[in-house]
Amino acid sequence: MRVRVSWLLPIILSSCSFLAAQHCPDRPESGNVVNDPYSIASQNSVLSAKFTLAHSVDKIGYTHYCYKYAASGQIVEAPTLRLNPGDTLNLEVINHIEDHGATKMKMKMSQPAGPTCGDGGDASVDSTNVHFHGLNVPPVCHQDDVIDTMIQPGSPGFKYSIQIPATEPPGLYWYHPHIHGFTEFQVNGGAAGAIIVEGMEKYRPEVKGLTERVFVIRQQYLVPWIPGPYELTINYQVAPYIGSKPIIQMQPGEKQFWRVLNASLQDFLELQVVQNNKAKSLELIALDGYPLAQTREQTTILVPPAGRAEFIVKAPPAGIPTVFYTQAYSTGPTGNADVAATIANIEVTDPKTSEHRKKVEAPTPVPAPAPASMAGLKFSDLARQPATTQRKLFFSEEFGGTNGPIQFYITVDGQKQKVFEPDEKPVITTKVGAVEDWTIENRALETHAFHIHQIHFQVLEVDGKPAADNDLRDTIEIPYWTGKGPYPSVKLRMDFRDPTIAGTFLFHCHILLHEDLGMMHKILVEP
């Protein structure tokens, strides 16, 4: 259960106070063809862009937060940023969220007393910053610092400048606000977009020449933190439970390379392509922006909140009912139900009428060459490295009678349970060069999603047994404890060898309310 009762009145007042402020672009109506997000590609090894964070409320009452970008005389929302390894991303962010008056005074979080980055001040529902999720870049001011960076409304804005490492794995990453206490509210409103590091075809030549699709699955509650109905959207088009579904077009016999981002607040998506009520095989290419050493066939791909999956889909025969679907997923006795839903209908169309899509570069159809060696990618030798330290951490919850969980913790074993505070000292200190094995238990009666900034980790064990697939991830689900028997757990190998990521950064549950309520802590990697 994810309720913040003491905040409901301020939130409702906040929603009412800016009903007239229509600042976000119109979002597509349900039942239409799903178009890919607008893309911005680097030029001469640099991608420069300016985003304005704004908000509005639609006619139904849903609050929309949006990253606006001016493109060829039009305003587009949350464009996909396309970069190559070694490129530089220069992103300017201006905060045009309106002041919420009395609500703002009630809804704020104190920030560290030390150095600030950007505008400083307390975090409020109007404040923002940006996290570049999954990128292995420095956790410092003007790059991927989310602890001290504050962009306040009415200020001149803030400039990020980030160099993508030359050894960055090609794949799907993303950007979203990470303002402590209010991340859920802004991501619920839709402020999130994809980042693609190009070059997947070098390591997974199976995707060469295929039509590429980028799908961002978001989730919106009418008022976040209140249990009740919610909507899933795909590229901002609502996938209603009743009524016309979004449409994904494919050509007869076509294979497409789908890059899917779970930008929801909390949903664990069990993705399938279903033909005549039967799940079809999907060729999994990459997870969390990291190409698999070998592709594998799966009928269901579980993507936790903030996770990404990249896979090949073959078009169904003409006339066969086919849908892009997520199965129901049980998050446990105190979790919220993640219900089954059809995200989109898949429609086979005449090539002359189907939408043009980006194709992964390939000059002519030729036999696929052998993939490039994974040895050139970050973390590729991690499984062969001896661990220098063993740690145990655990998720837990504190209950408040019949109201369900009221406090959420992630704790280093042996330390006192406590919620995150912006001015806290790091609960873990390590050094550049360390390779650590972390066993993370879930002692709660609901599923959690573990995420750490700046690095990928390798999955070694699940529930004390060798993992079937030693994938490299940055976010992973840990199922709920039933109340009996051993706690569910994962054992992860953490790689702190790269001096690029030295500094203080975060690990947390990526159910965003849990993060906002303190299920998060700092780690310091000393040079």
Side-chain angles (χ1 to χ4, degrees):
M1 188 178 295
R2 296 149 196 172
V3 187
R4 190 167 357 190
V5 176
S6 63
W7 284 24
L8 299 187
L9 181 59
I11 294 163
I12 293 167
L13 292 174
S14 173
S15 296
C16 295
S17 70
F18 54 80
L19 281 171
Q22 300 296 331
H23 293 306
C24 289
D26 290 336
R27 292 177 176 171
E29 295 290 335
S30 297
N32 290 309
V33 172
V34 178
N35 293 311
D36 285 13
Y38 185 89
S39 283
I40 313 170
S42 61
Q43 302 290 329
N44 300 317
S45 300
V46 177
L47 192 161
S48 296
K50 180 188 288 188
F51 287 178
T52 299
L53 181 68
H55 76 264
S56 58
V57 177
D58 69 15
K59 59 186 178 182
I60 300 174
Y62 284 100
T63 297
H64 293 170
Y65 282 80
C66 55
Y67 288 114
K68 299 196 299 183
Y69 174 75
S72 303
Q74 62 176 327
I75 300 298
V76 299
E77 184 171 2
T80 298
L81 306 179
R82 293 182 175 273
L83 299 117
N84 298 296
D87 285 354
T88 298
L89 170 62
N90 294 324
L91 179 64
E92 183 176 358
V93 178
I94 299 172
N95 184 349
H96 276 185
I97 303 173
E98 292 182 359
D99 191 330
H100 295 267
T103 302
K104 179 176 180 179
M105 291 187 289
K106 295 179 183 178
M107 301 176 65
K108 64 182 181 180
M109 297 264 182
S110 297
Q111 291 301 293
T116 59
C117 178
D119 298 326
D122 288 337
S124 78
V125 71
D126 296 330
S127 311
T128 197
N129 57 24
V130 182
H131 173 43
F132 301 93
H133 185 116
L135 291 179
N136 310 126
V137 296
V140 299
C141 189
H142 296 285
Q143 297 197 56
D144 193 34
D145 164 67
V146 296
I147 298 172
D148 301 314
T149 302
M150 197 78 62
I151 309 171
Q152 302 286 17
S155 73
F158 186 81
K159 294 181 179 180
Y160 292 91
S161 184
I162 298 170
Q163 184 173 27
I164 308 300
T167 56
E168 188 74 22
L172 179 61
Y173 302 82
W174 65 301
Y175 58 89
H176 65 85
H178 205 298
I179 197 77
H180 179 54
F182 309 100
T183 299
E184 186 190 30
F185 196 72
Q186 294 182 11
V187 175
N188 177 73
I195 300 172
I196 290 177
V197 176
E198 304 281 17
M200 182 64 74
E201 69 280 0
K202 297 176 184 177
Y203 299 92
R204 293 272 45 103
E206 296 86 350
V207 306
K208 276 194 174 182
L210 302 185
T211 298
E212 177 196 280
R213 304 304 312 273
V214 177
F215 296 132
V216 181
I217 298 175
R218 300 175 176 88
Q219 179 183 38
Q220 58 182 26
Y221 284 83
L222 191 61
V223 180
W225 315 314
I226 300 179
Y230 63 84
E231 297 178 330
L232 290 179
T233 67
I234 179 168
N235 293 359
Y236 290 117
Q237 189 177 150
V238 173
Y241 292 103
I242 300 175
S244 299
K245 307 292 192 228
I247 300 167
I248 297 173
Q249 290 185 333
M250 301 184 77
Q251 297 178 12
E254 180 186 26
K255 287 184 176 181
Q256 291 186 353
F257 177 37
W258 288 14
R259 316 186 90 157
V260 180
L261 159 61
N262 182 354
S264 72
L265 308 182
Q266 64 181 32
D267 261 27
F268 294 80
L269 301 175
E270 287 201 307
L271 299 178
Q272 296 179 333
V273 170
V274 178
Q275 294 179 17
N276 276 343
N277 299 316
K278 182 179 179 181
K280 304 301 291 184
S281 182
L282 307 170
E283 186 175 6
L284 188 60
I285 296 293
L287 289 169
D288 291 356
Y290 208 103
L292 303 186
Q294 297 290 333
T295 68
R296 58 181 184 260
E297 298 287 331
Q298 296 183 197
T299 58
T300 303
I301 301 173
L302 174 60
V303 188
R308 288 88 66 212
E310 302 175 67
F311 49 93
I312 294 173
V313 178
K314 186 176 180 180
I320 302 298
T322 306
V323 298
F324 184 34
Y325 184 77
T326 179
Q327 292 193 117
Y329 181 85
S330 175
T331 60
T334 62
N336 281 12
D338 292 347
V339 299
T342 294
I343 299 170
N345 291 328
I346 298 176
E347 181 182 276
V348 177
T349 63
D350 187 304
K352 294 180 181 178
T353 61
S354 61
E355 298 283 345
H356 174 74
R357 304 296 178 202
K358 180 184 185 296
K359 289 185 181 291
V360 181
E361 293 301 327
T364 55
V366 295
S373 170
M374 305 288 282
L377 296 180
K378 292 172 73 72
F379 315 114
S380 60
D381 64 342
L382 184 53
R384 299 190 297 273
Q385 301 302 312
T388 57
T389 302
Q390 304 279 336
R391 301 187 195 272
K392 180 185 286 187
L393 296 82
F394 60 91
F395 288 112
S396 60
E397 299 176 355
E398 185 176 291
F399 288 80
T402 58
N403 290 328
I406 60 171
Q407 196 59 70
F408 303 91
Y409 304 100
I410 183 169
T411 306
V412 178
D413 198 31
Q415 296 184 10
K416 183 180 178 180
Q417 288 187 153
K418 61 180 181 179
V419 298
F420 173 81
E421 296 290 347
D423 59 353
E424 73 175 22
K425 294 181 180 179
V427 299
I428 295 175
T429 298
T430 188
K431 291 184 177 295
V432 169
V435 174
E436 302 190 357
D437 285 354
W438 291 14
T439 298
I440 304 172
E441 294 180 342
N442 189 357
R443 302 181 184 179
L445 299 176
E446 69 175 305
T447 301
H448 291 289
F450 175 81
H451 169 57
I452 187 168
H453 291 207
Q454 318 318 132
I455 67 170
H456 283 67
F457 48 76
Q458 191 148 37
V459 183
L460 300 181
E461 296 178 3
V462 176
D463 294 335
K465 299 177 181 178
D469 302 294
N470 297 125
D471 297 322
L472 284 146
R473 307 279 298 273
D474 60 46
T475 308
I476 189 169
E477 67 285 348
I478 309 178
Y480 63 90
W481 182 50
T482 63
K484 296 179 181 180
Y487 298 118
S489 67
V490 294
K491 187 176 183 179
L492 311 174
R493 181 151 294 172
M494 303 286 182
D495 191 346
F496 302 110
R497 291 175 293 168
D498 184 358
T500 300
I501 56 94
T504 301
F505 49 93
L506 300 170
F507 58 89
H508 57 85
C509 176
H510 219 287
I511 293 172
L512 293 181
L513 177 60
H514 297 181
E515 170 194 322
D516 281 341
L517 289 180
M519 201 174 234
M520 176 166 70
H521 284 302
K522 297 178 185 177
I523 176 174
L524 168 62
V525 181
E526 296 179 331

